[in-house]
Amino acid sequence: MIPVLDSRGMRAADAAAIRGGIASEDLMENAAAALCRELRRSLPGAQRIVAVCGPGNNGGDGLAAARMLALSGASVSVFTLRDASAYSGDAASNAARARGVGLALRSLAEPRGLAELRRELAQSDGVIDALFGTGVTRPLRGAAERAVAAMNRSGKPILAADLPSGLSADGGTVPGPAVRAWRTVALGAPKACHVFPPASGFCGELVVADIGIGRPVLARQAKRIWLSEAQDVSALLPPRPRDSHKADFGRLAVIAGSRGKGGAAILAARGALRAGAGLVTVFCGESLALRIVSALPEAMTWGLPESAGAIAEAGARELIAALSGFDAAVVGPGLGQAAGTVRFLEILLRGTRIPIVADADALNAFAGRPGLFAKRASPTVLTPHPGEAGRLLDRSSREIQADRLGAARALARTSGAVVVLKGAHSLIAQRTGEVVVNPTGTPLLATAGSGDVLAGVIGALAAGGLSAADAATAGVWLHGAAAQALEPMLGDAGLLAHEIADAIPRVRRGLVGRPVPRDA
C-alpha cells in the first residue's frame, strides 16, 4: 500500500529524509529524473518541450528536468513565473545550471512573456507543468492564472510535476483555475488531490515516483489513507496448487433476485464464479430458479418461498439452516424492498454466522439503521453507492459526495463493517478509520449491473478465505481493472456488466509484473 499524504505530511517526510542523510538537492534531482523518464515513456517522439516553472521547489524540479532533457538532445523552452533572480536554495542552483547548459529562462512577468509562451506551446510536442506544488492554499491569480489558461488551451499533453498547478494537495476540492494534466507524476507519494474527486479528475493518469524517501518515512506521515497497488492484490491471490479441488476455494451463497430483477442474481453469481469461487449457489424465489440456472448453468439454485415475486419472510429460517454449509454470502442484489423482504433480511442478519457482503436492497432495508450490522459476530462488507450510503446515514447523496472520506469512515464506524463507498476512486473504510483508495476503474463501470458483479467478486474472495478488508480491497481493484482492460476496445461507454465479470480472469492472470498505477 502506498501512503497518501497531505502537504504538511509531505513536508515532514522531506525533512525526515534530509535528516536521515539524503541531500535536498538529490531529492530535486531524483524528482526531475522521474519527470524525464515519464515524459520519454509516454511521449517517446517528443522533441520540443515547454517547461513552465514556478518560484519554489516545484519550479526547481521543472528547471532540473528541463536541463536533463536539453542535455539529452531535446529542444526545451523554459518559462518562469518571475525573474530568475527570485529563486533561492536548490531552485536557484538549478536555475543557474539550466542557464549553464544554454537554456534561456523567459519570465512571464515580462510584457511579452505570455505571448511567447503561447507561441512556444503551439509549436511544442509536450508541456511540463512545474508552476506550483503542495504549497498552494488559495486560487491562482495574475500571471499564474494566465499561464494555466494558456497551457490548458494549447491542447498539448501536459505532464504535471507532483500535482497539477492550482490544486491543493490537501483534498479533493478545486480552489480555482487549475491545470488539466494528461499525466501527473506524484513525487514520493500520492497526495489527497490525486485520489479524491473532483480534483483527481484534473490529474490524468497518475504515476507515483520514488524520489529516495523510504516507504516507512512516508507511512509515518500518512493520515490512515492508503492507495492500493497491483502487488498488494497479487499477494492476496497466490497461484493455485495443481492438485486443487473446487471445495478449496469456497462455497458462496448468493441471496438475490425478485420478479423483474432476476438479472441481478445472475450477475452477482457470474462475478463470483469468474473471481474464482469454487461453488456458487443462488438462493432465490422458487419462480426464479429455472431462469437463473438456464442463464448460468455453472451456478446451483435453491428455491425459497416467495410472495408477490419476492423471497418471503417464511424462507428465512430455511435459509439460515442451509447457510451453515457455506463460507460466505452475498445478500441483496435485486431482492426488492417489500415489507416481507425487509423482515426476511432482519431475521437473516441476526441469524447467520458467516461473512456477509451486503449490497443494494440489503442496504436499503436498513436505511437509518446501520447500527444493526454492528450486532453481527461475523465479518460484514457493505457496498453502497452514494445514494445508499446517504440513506443509511440519513444524509443526501450530495452530502455524501461532498465528504466521501468522512462518510465512508462514519458508516464503517457506525456499522462495524468494512465499507466500500463506490464511485470514482472507490473507498474501502474500516471502523478503525483506515481507508484504502482504489486506483482502478473507468467511466465504463457506470452501467447497470456493475455493482452486482462487484458484490459477487468480493463475496468469492471472502468465501475463499480472505478477511473482509482484504476481500473488499482486492475485489474492488479487480473489478476496476477488468473494466480498464476493456477500455481500449469499447472506449468510455457501452459496457455490459457481464463483460466485467468475464474479464476478471484475464486481469488476475496478468497481475504479476503489471501494476496499476505504475511506479515511475
Side-chain angles (χ1 to χ4, degrees), residues 250-253 279 281 283 302 319-328 354:
R251 294 177 168 86
L252 179 69
L279 294 159
T281 299
F283 289 83
W302 187 313
L319 174 60
I320 289 170
L323 289 179
S324 62
F326 288 82
D327 299 298
I354 61 175

Side-chain angles (χ1 to χ4, degrees), residues 44-424:
Q47 289 301 313
R48 295 178 64 91
I49 307 298
V50 173
V52 186
C53 303
N57 284 339
N58 193 251
D61 297 337
L63 290 167
R67 165 175 46 85
M68 293 177 185
L69 290 168
L71 289 172
S72 71
S75 173
V76 186
S77 299
V78 181
F79 290 85
T80 61
L81 192 59
R82 302 172 191 163
D83 188 86
S85 62
Y87 285 109
S88 61
D90 296 332
S93 298
N94 273 301
R97 296 175 73 185
R99 287 195 299 266
V101 299
L103 290 173
L105 277 54
R106 287 179 274 185
S107 172
L108 292 170
E110 295 176 358
R112 292 197 51 79
L114 184 62
E116 291 178 1
L117 172 62
R118 289 172 178 153
R119 185 176 64 249
E120 293 293 343
L121 286 170
Q123 299 172 2
S124 72
D125 300 316
V127 185
I128 294 176
D129 163 33
L131 269 176
F132 293 101
T134 58
V136 170
T137 58
R138 57 183 181 270
L140 301 183
R141 295 288 183 262
E145 181 180 6
R146 291 190 289 272
V148 166
M151 284 188 276
N152 285 340
R153 289 171 184 160
S154 72
K156 299 303 172 74
I158 302 172
L159 181 70
D162 205 18
L163 58 153
S165 294
L167 297 185
S168 166
D170 297 334
T173 60
V174 182
V179 165
R180 289 191 172 272
W182 173 64
R183 297 276 196 282
T184 296
V185 179
L187 301 174
K191 317 305 184 294
C193 64
H194 295 140
V195 298
F196 294 122
S200 59
F202 285 69
C203 297
E205 179 183 333
L206 179 65
V207 178
V208 181
D210 179 2
I211 62 171
I213 303 175
R215 187 66 62 87
V217 173
L218 295 166
R220 284 195 290 272
Q221 304 302 329
K223 304 296 184 182
R224 296 183 297 168
I225 307 173
W226 310 85
L227 186 70
S228 59
E229 298 181 274
Q231 51 263 44
D232 301 319
V233 180
S234 181
L236 296 172
L237 304 173
R240 295 181 169 186
R242 291 287 183 182
D243 59 350
S244 295
H245 184 272
K246 61 188 176 185
D248 296 334
F249 306 117
R251 294 177 168 86
L252 179 69
V254 174
I255 304 151
S258 61
R259 182 182 298 160
K261 298 179 180 178
I266 295 166
L267 288 169
R270 189 169 186 143
L273 288 163
R274 287 299 198 183
L279 294 159
V280 175
T281 299
V282 177
F283 289 83
C284 57
E286 292 169 331
S287 64
L288 281 180
L290 180 59
R291 177 189 168 189
I292 289 170
V293 78
S294 298
L296 191 65
E298 297 86 352
M300 295 175 285
T301 56
W302 187 313
L304 294 171
E306 61 184 357
S307 174
I311 297 176
E313 180 182 354
R317 298 300 176 190
E318 178 185 348
L319 174 60
I320 289 170
L323 289 179
S324 62
F326 288 82
D327 299 298
V330 172
V331 186
L335 276 180
Q337 300 179 52
T341 303
V342 172
R343 290 192 294 271
F344 164 85
L345 288 167
E346 291 170 342
I347 296 168
L348 177 64
L349 199 67
R350 292 194 301 268
T352 185
R353 297 291 183 267
I354 61 175
I356 279 181
V357 179
D359 182 50
D361 290 325
L363 302 173
N364 293 323
F366 300 99
R369 303 185 292 165
L372 293 180
F373 291 105
K375 297 180 179 180
R376 297 196 72 239
S378 300
T380 307
V381 179
L382 310 184
T383 60
H385 57 56
E388 291 160 346
R391 287 189 281 276
L392 285 165
L393 291 171
D394 284 328
R395 303 179 191 174
S396 68
S397 59
R398 179 174 294 182
E399 290 175 294
I400 298 297
Q401 288 294 76
D403 183 13
R404 286 174 55 82
L405 179 63
R409 280 176 165 161
L411 184 53
R413 183 174 61 251
T414 306
S415 67
V418 172
V419 171
V420 176
L421 181 56
K422 295 183 287 195

